Short mmCIF file of all heavy atoms in Angstrom, two decimals:
data_model
loop_
_atom_site.label_atom_id
_atom_site.label_comp_id
_atom_site.label_asym_id
_atom_site.label_seq_id
_atom_site.Cartn_x
_atom_site.Cartn_y
_atom_site.Cartn_z
N SER A 88 135.28 126.88 50.23
CA SER A 88 134.67 126.49 48.94
C SER A 88 134.39 124.99 48.95
O SER A 88 134.86 124.27 49.85
CB SER A 88 135.61 126.81 47.78
OG SER A 88 136.74 125.94 47.80
N GLY A 89 133.68 124.56 47.94
CA GLY A 89 133.44 123.12 47.79
C GLY A 89 134.72 122.37 47.48
O GLY A 89 134.92 121.24 47.93
N THR A 90 135.57 122.98 46.68
CA THR A 90 136.85 122.36 46.34
C THR A 90 137.67 122.13 47.60
O THR A 90 138.22 121.05 47.83
CB THR A 90 137.64 123.26 45.36
OG1 THR A 90 136.79 123.63 44.29
CG2 THR A 90 138.86 122.54 44.80
N ILE A 93 136.45 119.28 49.79
CA ILE A 93 136.90 117.93 49.38
C ILE A 93 138.37 117.73 49.76
O ILE A 93 138.73 116.68 50.32
CB ILE A 93 136.69 117.73 47.86
CG1 ILE A 93 135.20 117.84 47.52
CG2 ILE A 93 137.23 116.36 47.43
CD1 ILE A 93 134.90 117.91 46.03
N THR A 114 131.77 115.41 35.95
CA THR A 114 131.58 116.19 37.17
C THR A 114 132.27 117.53 36.98
O THR A 114 132.99 117.72 36.00
CB THR A 114 132.16 115.45 38.40
OG1 THR A 114 131.92 116.25 39.59
CG2 THR A 114 133.65 115.20 38.27
N ALA A 115 132.05 118.45 37.92
CA ALA A 115 132.84 119.68 37.93
C ALA A 115 134.30 119.27 38.10
O ALA A 115 134.59 118.35 38.87
CB ALA A 115 132.40 120.55 39.09
N ALA A 117 136.40 120.37 39.78
CA ALA A 117 136.77 120.53 41.19
C ALA A 117 136.89 119.20 41.92
O ALA A 117 137.77 119.03 42.77
CB ALA A 117 135.74 121.41 41.90
N THR A 118 136.01 118.26 41.61
CA THR A 118 136.03 116.97 42.31
C THR A 118 137.39 116.30 42.13
O THR A 118 138.01 115.85 43.09
CB THR A 118 134.93 116.03 41.74
OG1 THR A 118 133.71 116.75 41.65
CG2 THR A 118 134.76 114.80 42.60
N VAL A 160 129.59 111.53 43.25
CA VAL A 160 129.04 112.87 43.08
C VAL A 160 127.53 112.74 42.88
O VAL A 160 127.08 111.90 42.09
CB VAL A 160 129.67 113.54 41.83
CG1 VAL A 160 129.08 114.93 41.61
CG2 VAL A 160 131.19 113.61 41.97
N ASP A 186 130.35 113.92 47.42
CA ASP A 186 130.42 115.26 46.83
C ASP A 186 128.98 115.75 46.65
O ASP A 186 128.29 115.37 45.70
CB ASP A 186 131.17 115.25 45.49
CG ASP A 186 131.29 116.65 44.89
OD1 ASP A 186 130.53 117.55 45.29
OD2 ASP A 186 132.15 116.84 44.00
N ALA A 188 127.95 118.89 46.31
CA ALA A 188 127.95 120.29 45.85
C ALA A 188 126.71 120.66 45.03
O ALA A 188 126.33 121.82 44.96
CB ALA A 188 129.22 120.57 45.06
N GLN A 189 126.09 119.65 44.39
CA GLN A 189 124.94 119.95 43.54
C GLN A 189 123.64 119.41 44.11
O GLN A 189 122.64 119.35 43.40
CB GLN A 189 125.18 119.33 42.14
CG GLN A 189 126.45 119.83 41.47
CD GLN A 189 126.59 119.40 40.02
OE1 GLN A 189 125.79 118.62 39.50
NE2 GLN A 189 127.62 119.92 39.34
N SER A 210 129.28 122.68 48.55
CA SER A 210 129.70 123.98 48.04
C SER A 210 128.53 124.94 48.19
O SER A 210 127.38 124.55 48.03
CB SER A 210 130.07 123.87 46.54
OG SER A 210 130.11 125.17 45.96
N TYR A 212 128.71 127.91 46.39
CA TYR A 212 128.92 128.80 45.25
C TYR A 212 127.55 129.41 44.87
O TYR A 212 126.52 128.75 45.02
CB TYR A 212 129.50 127.95 44.10
CG TYR A 212 129.84 128.69 42.85
CD1 TYR A 212 131.01 129.44 42.76
CD2 TYR A 212 129.00 128.64 41.74
CE1 TYR A 212 131.32 130.12 41.59
CE2 TYR A 212 129.31 129.32 40.57
CZ TYR A 212 130.47 130.06 40.50
OH TYR A 212 130.79 130.74 39.36
N LYS A 215 124.63 127.39 43.31
CA LYS A 215 124.23 126.08 43.84
C LYS A 215 122.85 126.18 44.50
O LYS A 215 122.36 127.27 44.78
CB LYS A 215 125.25 125.60 44.88
CG LYS A 215 126.69 125.58 44.39
CD LYS A 215 127.02 124.50 43.39
CE LYS A 215 128.51 124.52 43.10
NZ LYS A 215 128.96 123.59 42.10
N ASP A 222 132.29 132.82 47.72
CA ASP A 222 132.63 131.41 47.87
C ASP A 222 132.28 130.91 49.26
O ASP A 222 132.28 131.68 50.23
CB ASP A 222 134.14 131.21 47.62
CG ASP A 222 134.46 131.03 46.15
OD1 ASP A 222 133.76 130.23 45.50
OD2 ASP A 222 135.39 131.68 45.65
N GLY A 223 132.01 129.64 49.34
CA GLY A 223 131.77 129.00 50.63
C GLY A 223 131.61 127.51 50.44
O GLY A 223 131.34 127.03 49.34
N TYR A 339 129.21 118.83 31.37
CA TYR A 339 130.32 119.74 31.05
C TYR A 339 130.73 119.49 29.62
O TYR A 339 130.55 118.37 29.14
CB TYR A 339 131.45 119.50 32.05
CG TYR A 339 130.94 119.84 33.45
CD1 TYR A 339 130.28 118.89 34.22
CD2 TYR A 339 131.06 121.14 33.95
CE1 TYR A 339 129.77 119.23 35.47
CE2 TYR A 339 130.55 121.46 35.21
CZ TYR A 339 129.91 120.51 35.95
OH TYR A 339 129.38 120.83 37.17
C1 PLP B 416 130.65 123.39 42.33
C2 PLP B 416 131.18 122.01 42.53
C3 PLP B 416 132.34 121.77 43.27
C4 PLP B 416 133.24 122.84 43.74
O1 PLP B 416 132.70 123.79 44.54
P1 PLP B 416 133.38 125.26 44.61
O2 PLP B 416 132.68 125.87 45.76
O3 PLP B 416 133.12 125.94 43.32
O4 PLP B 416 134.83 125.06 44.87
C5 PLP B 416 132.71 120.45 43.50
N1 PLP B 416 132.00 119.43 43.00
C6 PLP B 416 130.89 119.62 42.26
C7 PLP B 416 130.14 118.44 41.75
C8 PLP B 416 130.46 120.92 41.98
O5 PLP B 416 129.36 121.10 41.23
#
Side-chain angles (χ1 to χ4, degrees):
S88 70
T90 310
I93 299 169
T114 181
T118 313
V160 178
D186 182 341
Q189 302 189 354
S210 164
Y212 182 78
K215 307 288 185 184
D222 274 313
Y339 297 87

